[in-house]
Amino acid sequence: MRNINEHTITEAVLRGMAGCESERLKEVMSALVRHLHDFAREVKLSEAEWEAGIRFLTATGQKCDDKRQEFILLSDTLGLSTLVVAQNHPVSTQATEATVFGPFYVEGAPQLPQGADISGGAAGEPLFVRATVHGPKGEAVADATVNVWQADSEGLYDVQRSALESAQGRALFRTDAQGRLDFRSKLPVPYPIPTDGPVGGMLKALERHPWRPAHVHFMIEAPDYQTLITHVFRDGDTYLDSDAVYGVRSSLVGDFRAHPAGSQAPDGSTAAQAFYTLDFDFVLERASG
Ligand SMILES: [Fe+2]
């Protein structure tokens, strides 16, 4: 294998993978090499641009730690996350749509009882969430594991606040026998994705805004059902049609209803301050096979 040139390099690399025993790995890597080479040809990538790309990816990796996932942010802002979610979860007429996972989920959220307040003392307008989890035939999904996470009223997740020692806006619940889940929180607000890293630099260079419409994340798991990873977005948000990570689905826009001070809250108390309610029904797909 000598005298490789720009016309023969792709075939040479593909030939080198011919002996790979995993057909899937061979398929994925062959396509990656073909598209990567075609990309470089299409834009006639310069050496300086190639070096800038290497520096960018290096910085992206270096920005990652156990609480910061810059590569997910990169995937999200390039639309790759939405593409992968969409092609693996075709829109169903019955089930709740999936959307991007995002970079702010962390394992080990505190398990809280029904009705608990997940805000952990964070400021914001009170929100009462009343959710149900059903299967495709309308059956209640009891004892489903529901992870909930959201940003606070300043648009930050708890993992973005290094001074915090306990969870805020993050909890793990189990649905009751009727598939219900009630909890308290604070009204989510729109937030910019973190812009202090290479992905923020990329958005700025591309003159793209970093904002996401207000939302609450849910991950719902139950035996015999497909895991649902999704958000519920706040209706009326400025950024519903320009989400920086392309995650909005019309079916996931919830009715965050405002109630004035003095109204009866869902927990039976008379609310001293104005509050919001959100009622949302999640429908899971049956696991196949
Ligand atoms: Fe989020």
Side-chain angles (χ1 to χ4, degrees), residues 67-225:
K67 290 182 174 165
R68 176 75 179 257
Q69 232 308 348
E70 194 77 356
F71 268 112
I72 291 184
L73 213 51
L74 179 59
S75 170
D76 289 355
T77 51
L78 293 180
L80 181 62
S81 307
T82 284
L83 170 59
V84 172
V85 169
Q87 71 181 357
N88 284 285
H89 300 272
V91 176
S92 141
T93 51
Q94 314 171 310
T96 303
E97 288 188 85
T99 190
V100 295
F101 196 40
F104 295 116
Y105 171 76
V106 288
E107 285 186 18
Q111 184 159 356
L112 298 181
Q114 290 270 346
D117 184 352
I118 71 167
S119 62
E125 297 183 81
L127 169 68
F128 292 83
V129 177
R130 295 174 294 201
T132 60
V133 181
H134 287 102
K137 296 204 165 93
E139 72 278 18
V141 181
D143 210 29
T145 300
V146 184
N147 262 282
V148 183
W149 66 106
Q150 67 164 89
D152 62 24
S153 61
E154 293 179 344
L156 292 172
Y157 286 82
D158 56 358
V159 291
Q160 294 174 279
R161 293 186 181 276
S162 53
L164 266 182
E165 288 179 359
S166 56
Q168 275 192 344
R170 185 183 302 281
L172 178 67
F173 292 101
R174 295 237 176 216
T175 55
D176 70 10
Q178 283 76 45
R180 289 184 307 221
L181 167 60
D182 292 358
F183 64 93
R184 296 183 58 179
S185 186
K186 293 288 160 54
L187 187 69
V189 298
Y191 67 81
I193 60 167
T195 53
D196 60 339
V199 172
M202 177 189 78
L203 294 186
K204 192 155 187 256
L206 295 172
E207 300 182 39
R208 281 178 52 182
H209 79 67
W211 288 88
R212 298 214 62 208
H215 58 272
V216 180
H217 293 257
F218 291 86
M219 178 164 67
I220 305 177
E221 298 166 280
D224 304 322
Y225 292 92

